[in-house]
Amino acid sequence: IQPRLMRRCGVFLQTVCDLLYGTRPICKIAVDVINTSGFQRAQHVMQHGPADFIGWIRPVSRAEHMIGSMLLTAKAGAADDEQLAALLHDITHRAFSHTADIVFADSLEGASLHELAVTEWVTANANDLPGVLGKDWEKYFTVTSELYPLLEQPSPALCADRGDYSIRDMHALGLVDDAFATEYFQAISSAGGKMVLTDIQTALKFGTNCIELDKRFYSHPSNLGVNHDTSTLLKQQVRKGALAMQDFTETPCQALWDSLSASTPEMQRMLAEAELCQQDKLRFGPSHYFVLPHGTPMTEEDCVLVASAVRTKPRVIDPLVLATHGEGAVPLSQLDAVFCDKLQSHRLATHRVVDVHFSSAARVRNHNGDP
């Protein structure tokens, strides 16, 4: 990721080219931030964890997402400080992103690894950033909805962070195309200091696909199972002393994945199973290679428990929509009853504690009555 100069009306502007939003102007300090080694490291931190390496979704880096978040805040009219906070908000993520939280869960006490000791981490691991950002650099790493309301909002509200990774993952999974990504970007605005969409049809397609994305990927049994398997194998390497927490900072995801795949027989088994899942096209159909035993009796002969008491939560968005009759910005769920019902049903179904079991493709097909 490298910014470039673009000439417009006799003036040279700094721009960045984003896969979804196209070529967009950015402020000079954002260019300097992107060119630091601290930021460039984020190109090698993948957003989806193990799913990025087994072909289930187009890989997306944290750098790509942070640039996208910055562009959304700019589209919504954010000041430079909030744009920079968006550009930096995930800079402390380690290899495999949230999968690393599971690896080190015993020491995190429920927190997320990338949210702990942020300024200390930046000083130690991205020490060229403070000089670029200036003496008040720490303010860019204190991300709250009060300080940066366009960047962060409580779920399920639309904000730059949630709004970018959702549309980006929809596109990576093939749920939406380039044209809709452009339509979505053009509909981004702000009202009352919060991010809104200006078109209800765009909001409906976006909100509905957020639910579909959660079903097909975030909360999908296959994704839960692979994340658990990978984190278990990584944790074993940590306990053996083969890996340390600093390795998740200094080593690119791909290098860690390749090392784990080459040296761990269990990883080779998991990769073979993941490939089987892909070949049989089981990942999104009624037959799952990782299954949640919902309404179907499972015995030890049928499947293996790979994760118990996994807490799932819905990752959906109920965007504010700029109403056309003077009502201001209104949640989509208040404007469309069908969407409201879909949202409530999905949240009730997804917010739970479950056991994740593994079953071979053949056994799963037998359970679900598939030919």
Side-chain angles (χ1 to χ4, degrees):
I1 298 173
Q2 294 291 341
R4 64 188 181 90
L5 285 170
M6 179 176 68
R7 188 178 182 92
R8 182 184 296 169
C9 300
V11 177
F12 282 102
L13 300 175
Q14 297 282 352
T15 65
V16 69
C17 185
D18 180 73
L19 177 67
L20 297 191
Y21 310 142
T23 300
R24 302 287 169 184
I26 58 176
C27 60
K28 173 62 168 63
I29 191 171
V31 175
D32 295 338
V33 167
I34 291 171
N35 284 327
T36 63
S37 60
F39 186 89
Q40 290 291 319
R41 168 193 163 274
Q43 288 196 76
H44 306 289
V45 178
M46 309 316 294
Q47 185 156 291
H48 307 127
D52 278 323
F53 300 99
I54 55 180
W56 287 0
I57 189 170
R58 176 182 62 78
V60 175
S61 72
R62 287 287 165 185
E64 184 182 342
H65 164 56
M66 290 189 290
I67 288 175
S69 298
M70 174 188 65
L71 295 177
L72 288 187
T73 61
K75 180 66 169 61
D80 285 356
D81 276 1
E82 187 158 12
Q83 291 183 46
L84 289 172
L87 183 60
L88 292 162
H89 77 277
D90 275 349
I91 199 78
T92 53
H93 264 292
R94 284 30 167 215
F96 302 113
S97 291
H98 290 293
T99 304
D101 294 338
I102 307 174
V103 176
F104 298 103
D106 293 344
S107 61
L108 296 179
E109 299 182 349
S112 185
L113 187 59
H114 77 289
E115 296 172 344
L116 297 177
V118 171
T119 55
E120 292 87 345
W121 186 95
V122 170
T123 301
N125 300 285
N127 56 16
D128 51 351
L129 276 171
V132 169
L133 295 169
K135 64 178 182 179
D136 297 326
W137 66 272
E138 293 179 347
K139 67 183 179 182
Y140 300 113
F141 299 95
T142 307
V143 177
T144 67
S145 58
E146 291 76 25
L147 289 174
Y148 302 120
L150 294 172
L151 171 59
E152 284 295 335
Q153 286 292 322
S155 179
L158 176 66
C159 59
D161 179 18
R162 194 172 295 116
D164 181 78
Y165 74 63
S166 295
I167 190 70
R168 206 164 290 277
D169 290 350
M170 288 176 207
H171 187 271
L173 204 59
L175 293 176
V176 300
D177 58 13
D178 292 350
F180 181 73
T182 300
E183 175 187 326
Y184 168 77
F185 184 80
Q186 293 302 328
I188 292 288
S189 187
S190 63
K194 295 182 179 179
M195 189 166 286
V196 303
L197 292 171
T198 58
D199 181 79
I200 190 169
Q201 294 305 317
T202 303
L204 275 170
K205 186 169 182 179
F206 176 73
T208 302
N209 273 300
C210 282
I211 296 172
E212 193 66 16
L213 176 65
D214 196 34
K215 288 179 180 178
R216 293 191 179 194
F217 186 62
Y218 298 141
S219 296
H220 193 281
S222 294
N223 197 38
L224 296 176
V226 167
N227 272 314
H228 177 272
D229 267 10
T230 303
S231 63
T232 298
L233 295 175
L234 288 167
K235 190 180 293 186
Q236 289 173 359
Q237 296 300 303
V238 170
R239 287 173 177 168
K240 291 177 182 177
L243 286 175
M245 186 178 290
Q246 192 62 19
D247 292 315
F248 288 76
T249 292
E250 296 176 352
T251 309
C253 282
Q254 186 69 61
L256 280 178
W257 180 265
D258 290 345
S259 175
L260 194 65
S261 302
S263 62
T264 313
E266 294 90 343
M267 190 69 164
Q268 295 166 12
R269 184 268 304 167
M270 189 186 77
L271 290 172
E273 291 160 356
E275 180 63 24
L276 174 65
C277 175
Q278 276 204 296
Q279 289 173 353
D280 287 358
K281 302 185 185 305
L282 301 178
R283 52 186 170 149
F284 304 142
S287 304
H288 300 313
Y289 118 104
F290 280 98
V291 294
L292 297 177
H294 181 68
T296 303
M298 293 280 184
T299 68
E300 290 184 3
E301 294 180 354
D302 296 320
C303 59
V304 177
L305 179 69
V306 296
S308 59
V310 175
R311 187 173 299 277
T312 64
K313 64 177 182 179
R315 296 178 73 175
V316 292
I317 299 179
D318 185 10
L320 289 174
V321 181
L322 203 58
T324 56
H325 302 294
E327 300 95 336
V330 181
L332 178 61
S333 59
Q334 294 182 23
L335 297 173
D336 190 279
V338 174
F339 175 75
C340 182
D341 289 344
K342 287 181 179 178
L343 184 66
Q344 290 179 349
S345 297
H346 180 70
R347 293 180 78 179
L348 287 172
T350 310
H351 196 86
R352 54 185 176 154
V353 176
V354 298
D355 291 342
V356 181
H357 290 78
F358 167 79
S359 179
S360 70
R363 287 175 175 166
V364 175
R365 280 198 292 269
N366 291 336
H367 271 299
N368 288 322
D370 296 340

mmCIF file of all heavy atoms in Angstrom, residues 161-194:
data_model
loop_
_atom_site.group_PDB
_atom_site.id
_atom_site.type_symbol
_atom_site.label_atom_id
_atom_site.label_comp_id
_atom_site.label_asym_id
_atom_site.label_seq_id
_atom_site.Cartn_x
_atom_site.Cartn_y
_atom_site.Cartn_z
ATOM 1 N N ASP A 161 -15.634 1.843 11.568
ATOM 2 C CA ASP A 161 -14.997 0.548 11.823
ATOM 3 C C ASP A 161 -15.919 -0.592 11.394
ATOM 4 O O ASP A 161 -15.587 -1.391 10.508
ATOM 5 C CB ASP A 161 -14.652 0.440 13.313
ATOM 6 C CG ASP A 161 -14.008 -0.891 13.667
ATOM 7 O OD1 ASP A 161 -13.509 -1.588 12.756
ATOM 8 O OD2 ASP A 161 -14.002 -1.249 14.866
ATOM 9 N N ARG A 162 -17.087 -0.661 11.985
ATOM 10 C CA ARG A 162 -18.039 -1.740 11.683
ATOM 11 C C ARG A 162 -18.513 -1.654 10.233
ATOM 12 O O ARG A 162 -18.712 -2.678 9.564
ATOM 13 C CB ARG A 162 -19.212 -1.636 12.657
ATOM 14 C CG ARG A 162 -20.122 -2.855 12.715
ATOM 15 C CD ARG A 162 -21.134 -2.715 13.853
ATOM 16 N NE ARG A 162 -20.470 -2.720 15.143
ATOM 17 C CZ ARG A 162 -20.466 -1.686 15.989
ATOM 18 N NH1 ARG A 162 -21.095 -0.562 15.674
ATOM 19 N NH2 ARG A 162 -19.826 -1.776 17.138
ATOM 20 N N GLY A 163 -18.706 -0.432 9.746
ATOM 21 C CA GLY A 163 -19.199 -0.252 8.387
ATOM 22 C C GLY A 163 -18.202 -0.649 7.324
ATOM 23 O O GLY A 163 -18.589 -1.102 6.240
ATOM 24 N N ASP A 164 -16.908 -0.496 7.609
ATOM 25 C CA ASP A 164 -15.917 -0.892 6.612
ATOM 26 C C ASP A 164 -15.664 -2.393 6.626
ATOM 27 O O ASP A 164 -15.667 -3.029 5.575
ATOM 28 C CB ASP A 164 -14.585 -0.168 6.817
ATOM 29 C CG ASP A 164 -13.584 -0.582 5.743
ATOM 30 O OD1 ASP A 164 -13.687 -0.073 4.614
ATOM 31 O OD2 ASP A 164 -12.733 -1.448 6.021
ATOM 32 N N TYR A 165 -15.446 -2.986 7.808
ATOM 33 C CA TYR A 165 -15.127 -4.419 7.760
ATOM 34 C C TYR A 165 -16.316 -5.228 7.272
ATOM 35 O O TYR A 165 -16.146 -6.284 6.650
ATOM 36 C CB TYR A 165 -14.557 -4.941 9.082
ATOM 37 C CG TYR A 165 -15.475 -5.128 10.254
ATOM 38 C CD1 TYR A 165 -16.529 -6.038 10.239
ATOM 39 C CD2 TYR A 165 -15.251 -4.433 11.446
ATOM 40 C CE1 TYR A 165 -17.345 -6.227 11.341
ATOM 41 C CE2 TYR A 165 -16.056 -4.615 12.549
ATOM 42 C CZ TYR A 165 -17.109 -5.516 12.494
ATOM 43 O OH TYR A 165 -17.915 -5.700 13.598
ATOM 44 N N SER A 166 -17.537 -4.732 7.482
ATOM 45 C CA SER A 166 -18.712 -5.473 7.012
ATOM 46 C C SER A 166 -18.813 -5.450 5.487
ATOM 47 O O SER A 166 -18.951 -6.499 4.856
ATOM 48 C CB SER A 166 -19.982 -4.897 7.646
ATOM 49 O OG SER A 166 -19.974 -5.082 9.040
ATOM 50 N N ILE A 167 -18.752 -4.261 4.876
ATOM 51 C CA ILE A 167 -18.854 -4.201 3.413
ATOM 52 C C ILE A 167 -17.650 -4.889 2.774
ATOM 53 O O ILE A 167 -17.768 -5.564 1.747
ATOM 54 C CB ILE A 167 -18.981 -2.742 2.924
ATOM 55 C CG1 ILE A 167 -19.326 -2.695 1.430
ATOM 56 C CG2 ILE A 167 -17.702 -1.945 3.188
ATOM 57 C CD1 ILE A 167 -20.710 -3.151 1.096
ATOM 58 N N ARG A 168 -16.475 -4.783 3.407
ATOM 59 C CA ARG A 168 -15.262 -5.385 2.861
ATOM 60 C C ARG A 168 -15.357 -6.910 2.906
ATOM 61 O O ARG A 168 -14.951 -7.606 1.965
ATOM 62 C CB ARG A 168 -14.040 -4.889 3.637
ATOM 63 C CG ARG A 168 -12.737 -4.911 2.872
ATOM 64 C CD ARG A 168 -11.692 -4.059 3.549
ATOM 65 N NE ARG A 168 -11.995 -2.647 3.451
ATOM 66 C CZ ARG A 168 -11.698 -1.886 2.405
ATOM 67 N NH1 ARG A 168 -11.049 -2.402 1.372
ATOM 68 N NH2 ARG A 168 -12.027 -0.607 2.381
ATOM 69 N N ASP A 169 -15.909 -7.441 3.987
ATOM 70 C CA ASP A 169 -16.051 -8.892 4.095
ATOM 71 C C ASP A 169 -17.181 -9.418 3.217
ATOM 72 O O ASP A 169 -17.100 -10.531 2.697
ATOM 73 C CB ASP A 169 -16.262 -9.289 5.556
ATOM 74 C CG ASP A 169 -15.005 -9.091 6.391
ATOM 75 O OD1 ASP A 169 -13.941 -8.829 5.807
ATOM 76 O OD2 ASP A 169 -15.094 -9.185 7.633
ATOM 77 N N MET A 170 -18.250 -8.634 3.066
ATOM 78 C CA MET A 170 -19.295 -9.015 2.102
ATOM 79 C C MET A 170 -18.690 -9.167 0.708
ATOM 80 O O MET A 170 -18.973 -10.127 -0.011
ATOM 81 C CB MET A 170 -20.379 -7.942 2.035
ATOM 82 C CG MET A 170 -21.302 -7.835 3.201
ATOM 83 S SD MET A 170 -22.405 -6.422 2.903
ATOM 84 C CE MET A 170 -22.791 -5.974 4.603
ATOM 85 N N HIS A 171 -17.879 -8.201 0.325
ATOM 86 C CA HIS A 171 -17.244 -8.223 -0.991
ATOM 87 C C HIS A 171 -16.256 -9.392 -1.082
ATOM 88 O O HIS A 171 -16.200 -10.100 -2.104
ATOM 89 C CB HIS A 171 -16.528 -6.895 -1.230
ATOM 90 C CG HIS A 171 -15.974 -6.727 -2.607
ATOM 91 N ND1 HIS A 171 -14.705 -7.141 -2.948
ATOM 92 C CD2 HIS A 171 -16.516 -6.189 -3.736
ATOM 93 C CE1 HIS A 171 -14.488 -6.862 -4.218
ATOM 94 N NE2 HIS A 171 -15.558 -6.289 -4.732
ATOM 95 N N ALA A 172 -15.495 -9.614 -0.036
ATOM 96 C CA ALA A 172 -14.511 -10.704 -0.033
ATOM 97 C C ALA A 172 -15.181 -12.064 -0.133
ATOM 98 O O ALA A 172 -14.616 -13.009 -0.683
ATOM 99 C CB ALA A 172 -13.654 -10.629 1.226
ATOM 100 N N LEU A 173 -16.400 -12.164 0.394
ATOM 101 C CA LEU A 173 -17.133 -13.432 0.377
ATOM 102 C C LEU A 173 -17.984 -13.580 -0.884
ATOM 103 O O LEU A 173 -18.527 -14.652 -1.139
ATOM 104 C CB LEU A 173 -18.034 -13.509 1.620
ATOM 105 C CG LEU A 173 -18.448 -14.882 2.115
ATOM 106 C CD1 LEU A 173 -17.246 -15.748 2.462
ATOM 107 C CD2 LEU A 173 -19.358 -14.749 3.331
ATOM 108 N N GLY A 174 -18.102 -12.518 -1.654
ATOM 109 C CA GLY A 174 -18.886 -12.582 -2.881
ATOM 110 C C GLY A 174 -20.353 -12.259 -2.708
ATOM 111 O O GLY A 174 -21.159 -12.522 -3.611
ATOM 112 N N LEU A 175 -20.723 -11.685 -1.572
ATOM 113 C CA LEU A 175 -22.128 -11.337 -1.345
ATOM 114 C C LEU A 175 -22.530 -10.072 -2.089
ATOM 115 O O LEU A 175 -23.700 -9.901 -2.446
ATOM 116 C CB LEU A 175 -22.400 -11.145 0.153
ATOM 117 C CG LEU A 175 -22.291 -12.381 1.035
ATOM 118 C CD1 LEU A 175 -22.493 -12.003 2.501
ATOM 119 C CD2 LEU A 175 -23.310 -13.431 0.626
ATOM 120 N N VAL A 176 -21.582 -9.153 -2.288
ATOM 121 C CA VAL A 176 -21.859 -7.921 -3.028
ATOM 122 C C VAL A 176 -20.748 -7.709 -4.049
ATOM 123 O O VAL A 176 -19.648 -8.250 -3.916
ATOM 124 C CB VAL A 176 -21.960 -6.693 -2.098
ATOM 125 C CG1 VAL A 176 -23.076 -6.874 -1.078
ATOM 126 C CG2 VAL A 176 -20.634 -6.409 -1.392
ATOM 127 N N ASP A 177 -21.038 -6.897 -5.069
ATOM 128 C CA ASP A 177 -20.063 -6.645 -6.125
ATOM 129 C C ASP A 177 -19.483 -5.239 -6.013
ATOM 130 O O ASP A 177 -19.835 -4.468 -5.103
ATOM 131 C CB ASP A 177 -20.694 -6.873 -7.502
ATOM 132 C CG ASP A 177 -21.933 -6.000 -7.744
ATOM 133 O OD1 ASP A 177 -22.169 -5.047 -6.965
ATOM 134 O OD2 ASP A 177 -22.670 -6.279 -8.717
ATOM 135 N N ASP A 178 -18.613 -4.899 -6.943
ATOM 136 C CA ASP A 178 -17.970 -3.586 -6.946
ATOM 137 C C ASP A 178 -18.997 -2.459 -7.025
ATOM 138 O O ASP A 178 -18.846 -1.418 -6.382
ATOM 139 C CB ASP A 178 -17.003 -3.460 -8.126
ATOM 140 C CG ASP A 178 -15.788 -4.366 -8.003
ATOM 141 O OD1 ASP A 178 -15.583 -4.954 -6.913
ATOM 142 O OD2 ASP A 178 -15.040 -4.481 -8.991
ATOM 143 N N ALA A 179 -20.028 -2.682 -7.832
ATOM 144 C CA ALA A 179 -21.028 -1.629 -8.030
ATOM 145 C C ALA A 179 -21.730 -1.296 -6.722
ATOM 146 O O ALA A 179 -21.968 -0.116 -6.408
ATOM 147 C CB ALA A 179 -22.044 -2.055 -9.088
ATOM 148 N N PHE A 180 -22.068 -2.312 -5.941
ATOM 149 C CA PHE A 180 -22.738 -2.009 -4.679
ATOM 150 C C PHE A 180 -21.784 -1.366 -3.683
ATOM 151 O O PHE A 180 -22.188 -0.503 -2.897
ATOM 152 C CB PHE A 180 -23.377 -3.247 -4.052
ATOM 153 C CG PHE A 180 -24.088 -2.911 -2.767
ATOM 154 C CD1 PHE A 180 -25.290 -2.219 -2.790
ATOM 155 C CD2 PHE A 180 -23.531 -3.235 -1.531
ATOM 156 C CE1 PHE A 180 -25.937 -1.867 -1.607
ATOM 157 C CE2 PHE A 180 -24.164 -2.882 -0.355
ATOM 158 C CZ PHE A 180 -25.380 -2.198 -0.396
ATOM 159 N N ALA A 181 -20.528 -1.765 -3.689
ATOM 160 C CA ALA A 181 -19.556 -1.126 -2.801
ATOM 161 C C ALA A 181 -19.470 0.370 -3.092
ATOM 162 O O ALA A 181 -19.408 1.199 -2.174
ATOM 163 C CB ALA A 181 -18.190 -1.785 -2.952
ATOM 164 N N THR A 182 -19.493 0.721 -4.375
ATOM 165 C CA THR A 182 -19.481 2.136 -4.753
ATOM 166 C C THR A 182 -20.767 2.824 -4.317
ATOM 167 O O THR A 182 -20.748 3.949 -3.799
ATOM 168 C CB THR A 182 -19.306 2.271 -6.283
ATOM 169 O OG1 THR A 182 -18.072 1.668 -6.666
ATOM 170 C CG2 THR A 182 -19.317 3.723 -6.707
ATOM 171 N N GLU A 183 -21.893 2.162 -4.531
ATOM 172 C CA GLU A 183 -23.191 2.711 -4.116
ATOM 173 C C GLU A 183 -23.220 2.964 -2.607
ATOM 174 O O GLU A 183 -23.697 4.008 -2.139
ATOM 175 C CB GLU A 183 -24.297 1.725 -4.508
ATOM 176 C CG GLU A 183 -25.691 2.097 -4.043
ATOM 177 C CD GLU A 183 -26.698 0.995 -4.322
ATOM 178 O OE1 GLU A 183 -26.563 0.296 -5.358
ATOM 179 O OE2 GLU A 183 -27.627 0.821 -3.512
ATOM 180 N N TYR A 184 -22.694 2.012 -1.857
ATOM 181 C CA TYR A 184 -22.642 2.143 -0.395
ATOM 182 C C TYR A 184 -21.768 3.324 0.013
ATOM 183 O O TYR A 184 -22.162 4.150 0.850
ATOM 184 C CB TYR A 184 -22.103 0.838 0.190
ATOM 185 C CG TYR A 184 -21.708 0.893 1.647
ATOM 186 C CD1 TYR A 184 -22.662 0.877 2.652
ATOM 187 C CD2 TYR A 184 -20.358 0.919 2.018
ATOM 188 C CE1 TYR A 184 -22.300 0.909 3.991
ATOM 189 C CE2 TYR A 184 -19.986 0.953 3.347
ATOM 190 C CZ TYR A 184 -20.963 0.934 4.334
ATOM 191 O OH TYR A 184 -20.581 0.964 5.656
ATOM 192 N N PHE A 185 -20.597 3.440 -0.578
ATOM 193 C CA PHE A 185 -19.699 4.535 -0.240
ATOM 194 C C PHE A 185 -20.351 5.884 -0.540
ATOM 195 O O PHE A 185 -20.257 6.825 0.263
ATOM 196 C CB PHE A 185 -18.384 4.403 -1.021
ATOM 197 C CG PHE A 185 -17.363 5.438 -0.660
ATOM 198 C CD1 PHE A 185 -16.575 5.304 0.478
ATOM 199 C CD2 PHE A 185 -17.174 6.562 -1.462
ATOM 200 C CE1 PHE A 185 -15.632 6.268 0.814
ATOM 201 C CE2 PHE A 185 -16.232 7.526 -1.133
ATOM 202 C CZ PHE A 185 -15.456 7.385 0.009
ATOM 203 N N GLN A 186 -21.020 5.984 -1.668
ATOM 204 C CA GLN A 186 -21.657 7.246 -2.031
ATOM 205 C C GLN A 186 -22.802 7.605 -1.083
ATOM 206 O O GLN A 186 -23.125 8.787 -0.916
ATOM 207 C CB GLN A 186 -22.177 7.174 -3.477
ATOM 208 C CG GLN A 186 -21.093 7.069 -4.525
ATOM 209 C CD GLN A 186 -20.102 8.236 -4.479
ATOM 210 O OE1 GLN A 186 -20.447 9.358 -4.138
ATOM 211 N NE2 GLN A 186 -18.849 7.947 -4.815
ATOM 212 N N ALA A 187 -23.409 6.614 -0.458
ATOM 213 C CA ALA A 187 -24.535 6.860 0.452
ATOM 214 C C ALA A 187 -24.097 7.233 1.864
ATOM 215 O O ALA A 187 -24.926 7.611 2.691
ATOM 216 C CB ALA A 187 -25.438 5.626 0.507
ATOM 217 N N ILE A 188 -22.800 7.124 2.161
ATOM 218 C CA ILE A 188 -22.293 7.465 3.494
ATOM 219 C C ILE A 188 -22.355 8.972 3.718
ATOM 220 O O ILE A 188 -21.943 9.767 2.888
ATOM 221 C CB ILE A 188 -20.838 6.976 3.664
ATOM 222 C CG1 ILE A 188 -20.779 5.449 3.690
ATOM 223 C CG2 ILE A 188 -20.205 7.562 4.928
ATOM 224 C CD1 ILE A 188 -21.322 4.810 4.942
ATOM 225 N N SER A 189 -22.899 9.363 4.882
ATOM 226 C CA SER A 189 -22.931 10.767 5.264
ATOM 227 C C SER A 189 -22.963 10.814 6.796
ATOM 228 O O SER A 189 -22.670 9.812 7.471
ATOM 229 C CB SER A 189 -24.154 11.462 4.652
ATOM 230 O OG SER A 189 -24.090 12.868 4.889
ATOM 231 N N SER A 190 -23.308 11.954 7.349
ATOM 232 C CA SER A 190 -23.430 12.067 8.809
ATOM 233 C C SER A 190 -24.605 12.965 9.160
ATOM 234 O O SER A 190 -24.995 13.843 8.380
ATOM 235 C CB SER A 190 -22.145 12.620 9.425
ATOM 236 O OG SER A 190 -21.893 13.938 8.970
ATOM 237 N N ALA A 191 -25.147 12.726 10.338
ATOM 238 C CA ALA A 191 -26.226 13.559 10.877
ATOM 239 C C ALA A 191 -26.139 13.489 12.388
ATOM 240 O O ALA A 191 -26.035 12.390 12.958
ATOM 241 C CB ALA A 191 -27.598 13.062 10.394
ATOM 242 N N GLY A 192 -26.152 14.647 13.024
ATOM 243 C CA GLY A 192 -26.048 14.667 14.476
ATOM 244 C C GLY A 192 -24.758 14.075 14.991
ATOM 245 O O GLY A 192 -24.720 13.533 16.099
ATOM 246 N N GLY A 193 -23.697 14.142 14.185
ATOM 247 C CA GLY A 193 -22.399 13.618 14.599
ATOM 248 C C GLY A 193 -22.242 12.125 14.438
ATOM 249 O O GLY A 193 -21.206 11.569 14.828
ATOM 250 N N LYS A 194 -23.236 11.447 13.851
ATOM 251 C CA LYS A 194 -23.158 9.994 13.667
ATOM 252 C C LYS A 194 -23.224 9.643 12.186
ATOM 253 O O LYS A 194 -23.783 10.387 11.378
ATOM 254 C CB LYS A 194 -24.293 9.303 14.426
ATOM 255 C CG LYS A 194 -24.194 9.469 15.939
ATOM 256 C CD LYS A 194 -25.313 8.735 16.655
ATOM 257 C CE LYS A 194 -25.192 8.888 18.164
ATOM 258 N NZ LYS A 194 -26.296 8.199 18.883
#
